[in-house]
Amino acid sequence: ATTAPRIPPTRLALHHFDMNYSLQLKDLWPSVRAGLLCEQKYGALLNSFSSVDHVTQELELLSATDFVSEGPKKAQRLELGVAAEKAEREESRSQEVSGEGRTVMDTETQAEMSAPLCASFRSNIKCYTFPRGDITRFRPARPDFLGLLDYYLLDAASLLPVLALNVQPGDFVLDLCAAPGGKTLALLQTGVCGHLAANDISVSRTKRLYQILHSYVPKEVRETVRVTSFDGRDWGDLEGGTFHKVLVDAPCTTDRHSVMEEDNNIFHKRRTKERQMLPMLQLQLLIAGILATKPGGEVVYSTCSLSPLQNEYVIK
């Protein structure tokens, strides 16, 4: 009783979010708040280094779908609908103008109809999720005959930065804040990295990264990944202008963890200064990631926070 904080950090976090995100998100905040307080829903990232054919069949029998391949399909269907609707409007307008019933489209519409309706999307990454509203839990991952686990459970949204990085064959890739290792594992699933460097300043978290690689990646591939524990802010000085693609998945308030878990909570009063300095740390990491990138390369910056201070303002 004498050592426990009067107000637990989870409650402090929720109060902070209520004060700030309600102004930012307005009418959306109640539903987002409910989402933050709900139990986390996982996706199953298939391990392409394991025998996954039977796993795919098993998951599909449970009505799980690969959201990576479904996303472009949905986008294409949406764009088809939009293009068809615009074409219909143009046809109606042309009939009114000419009175001859000919279909006359402006050059913008013609370009939209002739161009690919969805950007070229190729990925070896497969991640299965259950339908919206289905809170079925995935079984624990199982090892194959080589001892490699068949899938990795993670929040499916964690894959979005990896997909946005759009790694191409032979790319030199840097995961600047890599631990505990889910995104590093996803980058390896692309099968096209020419070289992958995974860095995290925390030695203890880097050990977790090693464990993930050992559990999911064969030795010959594992040995091609360079794992380091440098301060990411120094990477521009260490290896400037080296990488084609850099992922800066920066430390943040980790909103869901902050409202759900007391352990290692950044809203604990002992960590107030650390929390206040997060945007500066994130800015320094982003600059280091940019400096580490070759001219013409690409950097993806991401957090698992809704805070504009940690996202939009850092980018600006």
Side-chain angles (χ1 to χ4, degrees):
T2 57
T3 58
R6 291 182 180 180
I7 303 177
T10 50
R11 196 185 304 172
L12 285 174
L14 188 58
H15 175 71
H16 176 84
F17 296 156
D18 280 334
M19 293 290 290
N20 291 278
Y21 293 164
S22 60
L23 297 176
Q24 172 194 342
L25 299 172
K26 298 183 173 58
D27 293 343
L28 292 175
W29 172 236
S31 60
V32 174
R33 186 184 196 271
L36 280 178
L37 294 171
C38 284
E39 183 177 353
Q40 188 168 5
K41 183 176 177 178
Y42 287 95
L45 172 65
L46 293 197
N47 183 14
S48 61
F49 301 112
S50 176
S51 304
V52 295
D53 289 343
H54 71 283
V55 182
T56 300
Q57 295 171 2
E58 175 188 341
L59 294 175
E60 289 177 352
L61 285 172
L62 294 172
S63 299
T65 56
D66 175 18
F67 95 90
V68 180
S69 62
E70 281 296 310
K73 291 177 185 177
K74 290 179 179 177
Q76 189 172 28
R77 287 196 296 268
L78 178 61
E79 289 197 24
L80 275 169
V82 171
E85 183 180 346
K86 185 165 185 178
E88 186 177 337
R89 288 200 307 268
E90 290 296 329
E91 180 178 1
S92 175
R93 190 177 69 182
S94 68
Q95 289 174 355
E96 289 178 4
V97 172
S98 66
E100 298 175 3
R102 291 183 293 110
T103 300
V104 180
M105 286 188 268
D106 58 22
T107 54
E108 179 185 355
T109 305
Q110 290 174 350
E112 287 179 2
M113 293 296 287
S114 59
L117 291 171
C118 189
S120 174
F121 189 94
R122 295 174 183 173
S123 176
N124 295 321
I125 297 175
K126 296 183 182 297
C127 183
Y128 279 77
T129 57
F130 290 111
R132 184 173 183 174
D134 185 341
I135 57 172
T136 303
R137 284 177 172 268
F138 290 99
R139 61 159 174 80
R142 296 172 185 157
D144 65 4
F145 63 93
L146 294 175
L148 300 176
L149 298 179
D150 51 10
Y151 56 62
Y152 180 79
L153 296 179
L154 79 174
D155 189 319
S158 298
L159 285 182
L160 298 179
V162 175
L163 297 174
L165 204 58
N166 193 26
V167 179
Q168 299 298 307
D171 277 352
F172 278 42
V173 182
L174 169 63
D175 189 354
L176 193 60
C177 309
K183 294 180 179 66
T184 303
L185 180 60
L187 285 166
L188 287 172
Q189 300 303 311
T190 64
V192 296
C193 294
H195 171 73
L196 177 59
N199 178 75
D200 199 281
I201 191 173
S202 169
V203 175
S204 61
R205 285 166 59 86
T206 304
K207 289 179 180 178
R208 172 64 177 154
L209 172 58
Y210 275 116
Q211 291 173 354
I212 294 293
L213 293 175
H214 190 271
S215 299
Y216 288 88
V217 182
K219 184 178 180 181
E220 61 272 17
V221 178
R222 201 163 61 235
E223 289 176 345
T224 67
V225 181
R226 181 159 59 102
V227 179
T228 56
S229 294
F230 298 128
D231 186 332
R233 292 172 290 186
D234 299 331
W235 203 278
D237 298 326
L238 294 169
E239 293 185 40
T242 303
F243 297 90
H244 300 96
K245 302 289 173 68
V246 175
L247 175 60
V248 183
D249 186 52
C252 64
T253 49
T254 320
D255 293 354
R256 182 191 293 277
H257 178 87
S258 295
V259 298
M260 297 292 281
E261 302 289 340
E262 301 293 342
D263 293 340
N264 198 32
N265 194 311
I266 200 165
F267 279 85
H268 195 287
K269 289 188 175 181
R270 291 196 303 266
R271 302 183 69 185
T272 299
K273 187 68 174 177
E274 178 186 353
R275 189 177 75 250
Q276 291 172 342
M277 293 301 293
L278 272 175
M280 179 56 69
L281 171 62
Q282 292 159 345
L283 176 61
Q284 292 168 334
L285 287 168
L286 176 56
I287 290 173
I290 292 170
L291 293 175
T293 309
K294 288 176 176 288
E298 298 179 17
V299 180
V300 169
Y301 172 83
S302 62
T303 73
C304 43
S305 170
L306 296 168
S307 168
L309 282 174
Q310 299 175 60
N311 292 292
E312 293 92 332
Y313 291 171
V314 171
I315 300 298
K316 287 180 181 179

